[in-house]
Amino acid sequence: MASVALPAPRKTTSRNYLNAATTVKSWLLTTDHKRIAILYLISISVMFVLGGAAAGLIRLQLLTPNNTLLTYDAYNKSFTMHGVIMVFFFLIPSIPAVLGNFILPMQLGAKDLAFPRLNLLSWYVYMVGAIFTLVALLWGGVDTGWTFYTPYSTQYSATAVIPVGLGVFIVGFSSILTGLNFIATIHTMRAPGLTWFRLPLFIWALYATSLVIMLGTPVISITVLMVAIDRILHVGIFDPALGGDPLLFQHLFWFYSHPAVYIMILPTMGVISEIFATFSRKPVFGYPFVAMSSLAIAILGFLVWAHHMFVAGISAQSALIFSFLTYLVAIPSAVKTFNWTATLYKGSISLDTPMIYALSFIGIFLIGGFTGLFLASLGTDIHLTMTYFIVAHFHYIMVGGAIFGFLAGLHYWWPKMTGKMYSEFWGRISSVVIFIGFNMTFFPQFIAGYWGMPRRYHTYAPEYQILNVLSTAGATILAVGYILPVIYLLASLRNGKPAGNNPWGATTLEWQTSSPPPTYNFLKTPIVTDAVYHFHLPAGDIAVDGHGDGQALGPGSAPATPALPAKTTDER
Amino acid sequence: MATHSPETTHGHEGGTAHHVTSSRLLIMTGGALLVLTVLTVAASFIDLGALNDVVALVIAITKALLIIFIFMGLRWSTQIPRLLSLVGLFMLLLLIIATLSELLTRVWVPLPGH
Amino acid sequence: MAQQVARPTVPAVPRAAAPIEAEHHVEHLGHHYESLDQQHHANMVGMWVFLMTEILLFGGLFCAYFYYFAAYHEVWMEATRLQNIVAGTINTAVLIISSMFVALAIWAVQTNRIRMAQILLALTIVCGLIFLVIKGYEYYSHFTEGLVPGAMFQWEGPAEMKRPAQLFFWLYWVMTGLHAAHMVIGISIIGFILYKTMKRTYSPAYFTPVELGGLYWHLIDIVWVFLFPMLYLMGGHYGQ
Amino acid sequence: MSAESFWSYLFAKSTTGRQVDILFWTLILVTLAFSIPIVGTLTYFVFKYRRKSPDEVPPQIHGSNLLEITWTGIPLIMALGFFFFSATTYLHMVVPPANAMDIWVIGKQWMWKTQQPDGQWEINELHVPVNTPVRLTMTSQDVIHAFYIPAFRTQWDVLPGRYSTMWFQATEVGTYHLYCSVYCGTEHSEMVGWVTVMDPGDYEKWLAGKAATASAAGQPVQTPAQQGEALFQSNGCATCHVQAGGGIGPSLKGVAGSQVQLEDGSTVTADDTYLRESILQPAAKVVKGYPNVMPSFQGRVTEEQIIALLAYIKSLK
Ligand code: HEA
Ligand code: HEA
Ligand code: CUA
Ligand SMILES: [Cu+2]
């Protein structure tokens, strides 16, 4: 069978997954992984705006120490909805379900994911979960915090815990379907020659993520279900007054929710690896170590959950063990960080928008990660736990880390997804605005936390005001920063320049087909003959568009020369 | 026609594609499972102290292994299902053992009044 | 790693079992797969991963069970004794036999005994239904005896044990309930497969769905193999 | 009351707090020691190796095992070092000194009640003498709370149905924030108060003054043990628990802190949690040689009363 991808159509007006059919029905019943990715992109963006609106309310309330903008309950509901929406409905699906869905089959040289219908089902399940949660919001909201701690959530809270619990339960299955699809696809649908150690690092990261999803998500599903059931029966499975034990709930909750933080960061790390390679035109330094560190994070990530319970009353013995293991899980992250840095050494570095995001990611992730170590240290955690220090820690990783990674990936693959180039100028501006706004929002929270300001506080002592004002001001800048990409990315759909197949000169397979790709991605299954991220021009003469006659194609045989700056790629 | 994945040229990733488990073996396994069921019920009527629980669990594990290896064909499958079931089992044990070990060590640091 | 790499193309070895021809016309082959073989592998990997997830879904409940088992050992013994061990034992046997039927059904399809496969699948469903009926009977008698956690809970044992005993029955209902829900899904799946078998969809050349359904059914069986000792036996029945 | 100034806050006001500070600032140094070089190197590379021509192909460097070992090994060793450093601090923080003064704390939505050793209760306030180890024994009447004194760099969860303890030794006279740091419902942010650290002399005067006001108001102060003794009589405990022995129940003399043989052959340490359970769920752990006849007092005694009963039982030496 022919093993060569034929030259992709050169004009973006050719047939592709976007214009193959245009009815609403063709979108709602699609099984094309690329279309499902777009559906997900739209849904999670809506959820992000909702979560962001809640964040806006939080920040406005905290502008003054005894603000009465929100009532106590309204405030509590705001941060709960903010946490629930951002974690379960935005960040967890963000990179896997949008970028992963779109890119993973293409990077494998496959026509689609292994189970396209399950993939569509996963989106519908997500929507049902989201609707449950939003209905609960209209119902009066929920005020337990995203952690649903018992016995408050089972016996005391008078809010819509059950609908939100069911929403989280349901959305869990959408992650499970995505993870299942990814694992099966990576195992069985790789292009000929694409051996495990030729896989792009994004694939490795998604593989590790999927494992965590498959092993962790069912536990949170059953746990929130238990909370919901107990709210009906009031037997007190987690209520000490009735013989239950709240620490059991915490164990079960964090058994998932700690690994979940790696569900959020691992895909980001994969994106960063891709971008560092492409924009420095070098293989990722220490590829096998970076690949394996993803798996190491996935596995070690399951061994540390009780670090969220250091002062909750767990045994001192367990606290020591879990603290120790938490230190260990930092090592693979360290390995990645160092390898990324080394990748730039003697590279050919181009500071395009995705790269600016990726570089900011490193700086911010370092701060977020190291403050994680402050919390892993038993001595300091006893002081810092439940304060704004934690809020700052996880926003540094989740907003500064994961969202920067998501934006980096979105800007990196946008030309592939839409066939259009966005405005590089506005891209750079917005990345800088977001960077400044972000640090201004969350850095003061480290200080507030160290100073003792507890989290989930509706009012606070006056001495913290200056820090909170800074933080609110930063959040305003951040909001503007987030609106910018929405504008210029959407604008690029209308008047963006055609992107060409491979505007960045990348080597992975998704760049070997046209932009936007045809419905089955490749006209012929590609064959891979070389390690990924190989930027040398092979001795032969492969044409600039990456399609030599009869030559096998794939990572490594990609051209090193197409790197005309993105803005001028339209002639290709 | 080219196989898609390099691995599939060496073996099946998915499982017992072409193995046929003989009906005799299946029936014998079913019989063994029934015998074990009778055994476990019988054992529960004898006072073995704490051993009762151990016996019940050991028999259950044996039964589960029979089902997994013979009915589900893990015995003849390739690495992937084995690895996956091992990982699942490991996580299950991790969850239970780590949680219980925390529960059972809980009063390690002396409380006041000592 | 070498700087200059020009490895030969991985030879494309055709698989013996894969029907070749034009890929769009192979029966049962999803359009996005390259071969039936690949499709089979993908399905099997997918199913095993799914089973892994299922284990951990029950895992949360198992963890809760053992947690309180360790905390309230005496109560657990006391409560176990209220269970209907006869019904439990029969149900265990019924499930094991049904599992055997499914395994045999796969064997029958593989060896082209389609008629026999139909009978075996039908028997599996019958076993599944028997299980549910017996379970329903047990639920009913628990209900009349007041062994339902919540406001209606009635407890004859020592008063201090009432609360932990309620926890036991809470776990009992939720665990067996979740298991029964799986049974209902399992029966529907087997029913669908039976229907397809009647339509002669499966043959020794293509029987992946039968295998998948079988795997799911076995998992349900395995869960019960643990639920049975945990909810009916542990703590012991001597002295009854 | 006054706010806490940041500069004075920078120095912890308790003995263990100082250790936490040392740990904290060391970690800050380590963070800087790693982050500055990493970010510096990145910046340097970005400028040094920026793309010079569109078709530039840099040398393809794949990796170096030596480097990998180095940058796995060094963080690993540092991580181990920090683990031991932080673990020792932690052990200091969780093991109270034997001679600590006992304070009882009850949290409920949304207030703190604290009880001085002489039996006086305070609401949302806690007065303690300086330079004296203080042990808090805490429980909650509803949901989980946490008792947090940032200036002492310590906090602990307060759970219903169980006692948790924490301790500190204040090193400086002053007034410090007291927070509830675990989210506990609507007015979680109002569950705040002040910890006042006083000179021992002032503290005694304060106690005496408070007691005098109370007696003047017709509510003479009793020690928890005295209150407990009264409860022990009024609840009928004394009918079964005869301290000289020979009652239906075991004598409770010296039981606190001892090893108790149970009916099922195991032994437990009679700590607060055990004693509490023995009162609320006597059947959960039955003492060897005694019938399981003690009624449950769940719902019949309040948290405050249990605290008093425990104080009384502990006074039976
Ligand atoms: C994407 C999300 C994400 C990620 C990736 C992380 C990563 C880490 N987190 Fe974080 N964390 C959260 C999200 C995340 N966290 C959230 C949401 C919470 C709060 C939940 C709540 O209560 O609401 C939380 C809370 C939290 C706690 C609990 C605090 C408490 O409640 O008391 C702890 C404690 O150990 C912790 C530790 C860590 C550690 C050690 C890492 C590590 O993985 C970080 C590793 C990275 C580095 C260390 C940087 C790079 C390393 C080097 C450059 C080498 C040098 C290294 C050494 C010298 C060791 N986190
Ligand atoms: C992915 C996760 C994620 C993300 C992206 C964010 C984003 C932000 N978060 Fe959040 N946060 C959490 C996860 C996340 N957070 C979690 C898990 C908690 C804990 C909850 C709990 O305690 O239970 C938390 C808690 C939390 C708190 C602490 C509340 C408390 O403890 O009392 C604060 C306070 O400042 C905060 C602020 C912000 C801000 C300013 C942003 C900004 O980055 C957001 C900026 C985005 C926008 C502003 C949206 C852009 C859209 C528009 C501008 C449209 C405008 C529309 C309208 C306003 C109608 N978050
Ligand atoms: Cu009490 Cu928060
Ligand atoms: Cu964590």
Side-chain angles (χ1 to χ4, degrees), chain A residues 28-239:
Chain A
L28 291 182
L29 294 180
T30 181
T31 52
D32 184 339
H33 65 100
K34 299 183 286 300
R35 286 188 159 213
I36 296 170
I38 302 291
L39 291 177
Y40 259 118
L41 178 59
I42 297 167
S43 340
I44 67 160
S45 304
V46 171
M47 291 313 260
F48 180 69
V49 170
L50 290 177
L57 289 177
I58 296 175
R59 285 313 333 159
L60 282 178
Q61 163 66 26
L62 295 180
L63 205 48
T64 57
N66 288 306
N67 205 343
T68 49
L69 174 75
L70 300 180
T71 61
Y72 290 105
D73 285 326
Y75 181 80
N76 298 343
K77 287 171 183 171
S78 301
F79 70 69
T80 305
M81 283 324 273
H82 169 69
V84 168
I85 290 181
M86 287 299 200
V87 169
F88 295 110
F89 294 94
F90 170 68
L91 201 49
I92 287 180
S94 64
I95 296 185
V98 178
L99 301 176
N101 242 338
F102 199 99
I103 298 302
L104 179 132
M106 300 180 68
Q107 283 196 336
L108 294 176
K111 290 186 195 144
D112 205 321
L113 286 172
F115 313 113
R117 271 176 297 177
L118 286 189
N119 198 18
L120 179 64
L121 179 64
S122 122
W123 181 72
Y124 276 103
V125 171
Y126 170 89
M127 291 307 282
V128 174
I131 286 167
F132 260 86
T133 310
L134 296 182
V135 165
L137 187 72
L138 299 179
W139 203 306
V142 60
D143 72 341
T144 59
W146 82 283
T147 47
F148 299 108
Y149 265 25
T150 58
Y152 185 72
S153 63
T154 50
Q155 306 281 329
Y156 291 84
S157 171
T159 53
V161 179
I162 295 182
V164 175
L166 289 181
V168 171
F169 176 80
I170 292 168
V171 80
F173 287 96
S174 113
S175 311
I176 287 177
L177 291 174
T178 304
L180 187 155
N181 233 329
F182 284 3
I183 293 183
T185 310
I186 296 171
H187 270 290
T188 59
M189 314 257 298
R190 305 194 305 279
L194 192 52
T195 55
W196 282 93
F197 281 94
R198 287 178 183 173
L199 288 175
L201 287 164
F202 186 49
I203 301 284
W204 274 107
L206 286 176
Y207 186 77
T209 311
S210 306
L211 265 183
V212 180
I213 291 178
M214 297 311 284
L215 293 165
T217 316
V219 179
I220 188 80
S221 297
I222 198 71
T223 309
V224 288
L225 193 67
M226 283 158 94
V227 168
I229 294 177
D230 206 54
R231 256 186 92 79
I232 300 169
L233 293 179
H234 287 294
V235 171
I237 185 92
F238 300 126
D239 183 358

Side-chain angles (χ1 to χ4, degrees), chain D residues 110 144-145 180-184 188 191:
Chain D
W110 290 275
I144 303 177
H145 306 270
C180 170
S181 60
V182 162
Y183 176 68
C184 52
H188 162 61
M191 200 166 155

Side-chain angles (χ1 to χ4, degrees), chain C residues 28-43:
Chain C
H28 312 305
L29 181 63
H31 53 67
H32 56 297
Y33 290 112
E34 295 279 311
S35 67
L36 270 182
D37 217 37
Q38 187 192 36
Q39 176 173 333
H40 178 254
H41 299 322
N43 282 323

